[in-house]
Amino acid sequence: MHYRPLGDTDMRVSEMSFGTWAIGGSWGSVSDEESLRALDAAMEAGVNFFDTADVYGDGHSERLLAKATKGKENAVMIATKFCRSSDIHDAKTYSEASVRAFCESSLQRLGRERIDLYQVHCPPIDVLRDGAVFDVLERLKAEGKVREYGVSVESVEEGLLCLRYPGVKALQVIYNLFRQKPAEELFPKAKSQGVGILVRLPLASGLLTGKFTESSTFAADDHRNFNRNGDSFNVGETFAGLPFEKGVALARELAWIGEGRGSMASAALRWILENDDITCVIPGFKDERQVRKNLAALETPGFPAEERGKLRAFYEASVRQAIRGPY
């Protein structure tokens, strides 16, 4: 396992880290016992950073992380997020009283005295323009309840706006072979300002595993069913904003990346890790098998310049215009 600095903070995190949306909820059925075994397997492999949120299973993934990391609080860092358990369009959600309440609730569920990275969870852009929430986070940081803070964003515009605030030390973004725009301007600018980059949805909700067909179906409680067209939250959070059938067809055209690299998923993750502007990638998982498959990307052969150029040209010609929603 290799470790990379989280911007110019004192944190060094495993380049392969993990997100816990799937074990909290909205990805179909999952077993807590399996989730805990998976978390243990990740930590045994050297993973020292996990991302979660207060709304993942209404705090369930935070509780699972508390159980899995008990006694390892100084060795394993946790990032969590806030605001989406309330009305994200109400200014009161970002008031000091509200943010403190969100923070204290997460600390209680996590069984910790400090949150390593506290992130505003995809707020409306007007909240970022106002910036008052960052003053509250500065106070929580000064009190030792928050080590560093950042923002999970939906678009490059939002990310660039966050870079105006010197206290923001991390941006969490959607980035994968189907969603390459952040690498053009946002990533290098963030790096130059000492801001870390966490990459979520690196496999485009599973499209980049190559395992789906146009007839694949998902459970009623899986966001790949209920948010397929952005009915519940930003459409970019599901299949990178691509219409499902289009995404399946595009993934089929990319199947070649898995040749000699173990699997298409490992190749897609390796492509992300080759970008030095990125701090870590945080794929999701439901069980130990998926954790180990994601970790296999660490040993996967990389992409020569010719192949990287081919992948960029494919994105520009076949993918970019098909993505829905702001990005």
Side-chain angles (χ1 to χ4, degrees):
M1 182 66 70
H2 293 103
Y3 300 85
R4 302 185 185 186
L6 181 68
D8 59 10
T9 73
D10 63 356
M11 289 190 274
R12 293 185 64 83
V13 305
S14 47
E15 62 180 2
M16 178 68 72
S17 295
F18 284 94
T20 61
W21 186 11
I23 64 173
S26 296
W27 287 77
S29 61
V30 64
S31 157
D32 284 355
E33 291 73 18
E34 282 285 349
S35 298
L36 290 169
R37 282 194 290 271
L39 288 166
D40 284 341
M43 289 185 286
E44 287 172 8
V47 174
N48 73 344
F49 185 75
F50 294 94
D51 176 76
T52 187
D54 56 5
V55 290
Y56 293 171
D58 194 22
H60 188 60
S61 70
E62 288 182 327
R63 295 186 186 94
L64 285 172
L65 282 169
K67 185 177 293 187
T69 65
K70 188 174 179 59
K72 303 175 183 177
E73 291 84 358
N74 293 327
V76 178
M77 294 169 280
I78 293 177
T80 192
K81 301 185 283 293
F82 71 93
C83 83
R84 300 192 76 87
S85 62
S86 190
D87 181 356
I88 63 169
H89 298 286
D90 186 345
K92 292 179 181 177
T93 298
Y94 309 93
S95 68
E96 182 162 354
S98 292
V99 177
R100 282 186 178 278
F102 293 142
C103 182
E104 292 293 348
S105 294
S106 283
L107 286 170
Q108 184 175 24
R109 286 189 293 268
L110 291 168
R112 297 193 170 208
E113 295 182 356
R114 181 180 68 172
I115 295 169
D116 293 295
L117 178 64
Y118 204 31
Q119 303 159 100
V120 194
H121 195 176
C122 301
I125 196 167
D126 287 345
V127 171
L128 301 176
R129 291 195 181 102
D130 175 76
V133 68
F134 300 122
D135 295 331
V136 177
L137 290 168
E138 278 292 337
R139 287 191 282 276
L140 292 175
K141 181 178 177 181
E143 295 169 14
K145 294 183 181 295
V146 169
R147 185 173 179 180
E148 301 289 353
Y149 62 85
V151 187
S152 180
V153 299
E154 300 284 10
S155 70
V156 167
E157 180 185 7
E158 292 172 356
L160 292 171
L161 182 56
C162 290
L163 294 180
R164 299 179 186 178
Y165 301 95
V168 171
K169 292 301 178 182
L171 294 175
Q172 186 178 138
V173 302
I174 304 171
Y175 179 66
N176 54 56
L177 281 165
F178 287 155
R179 204 164 171 111
Q180 299 184 32
K181 182 180 177 181
E184 297 167 11
E185 179 183 5
L186 180 60
F187 288 180
K189 189 167 184 178
K191 186 173 184 178
S192 71
Q193 293 185 203
V195 176
I197 295 290
L198 282 58
V199 170
R200 72 180 186 275
L201 298 171
L203 300 178
S205 306
L207 282 177
L208 289 168
T209 66
K211 64 184 179 182
F212 299 147
T213 68
E214 285 84 353
S215 60
S216 295
T217 59
F218 303 93
D221 61 347
D222 191 318
H223 77 101
R224 292 171 293 184
N225 179 341
F226 67 78
N227 194 59
R228 185 174 293 200
N229 295 307
D231 295 330
S232 297
F233 40 83
N234 188 286
V235 69
E237 299 288 347
T238 305
F239 303 128
L242 291 168
F244 177 66
E245 292 77 10
K246 176 71 171 178
V248 170
L250 290 170
R252 197 174 290 124
E253 293 185 51
L254 284 181
W256 63 269
I257 66 172
E259 297 173 7
R261 295 187 175 94
S263 71
M264 187 175 175
S266 289
L269 290 169
R270 169 47 60 189
W271 177 84
I272 292 171
L273 289 170
E274 289 188 320
N275 189 324
D276 292 336
D277 293 341
I278 289 166
T279 302
C280 66
V281 60
I282 50 172
F285 64 94
K286 286 186 176 181
D287 53 39
E288 183 178 349
R289 178 188 62 84
Q290 291 180 348
V291 163
R292 297 196 183 283
K293 287 185 71 174
N294 287 329
L295 288 168
L298 298 174
E299 306 299 328
T300 297
F303 291 84
E306 180 182 353
E307 289 187 348
R308 295 187 72 83
K310 181 179 178 180
L311 289 168
R312 179 67 189 186
F314 174 77
Y315 163 75
E316 292 290 353
S318 302
V319 183
R320 189 169 193 146
Q321 297 304 313
I323 295 176
R324 299 168 295 174
Y327 76 107

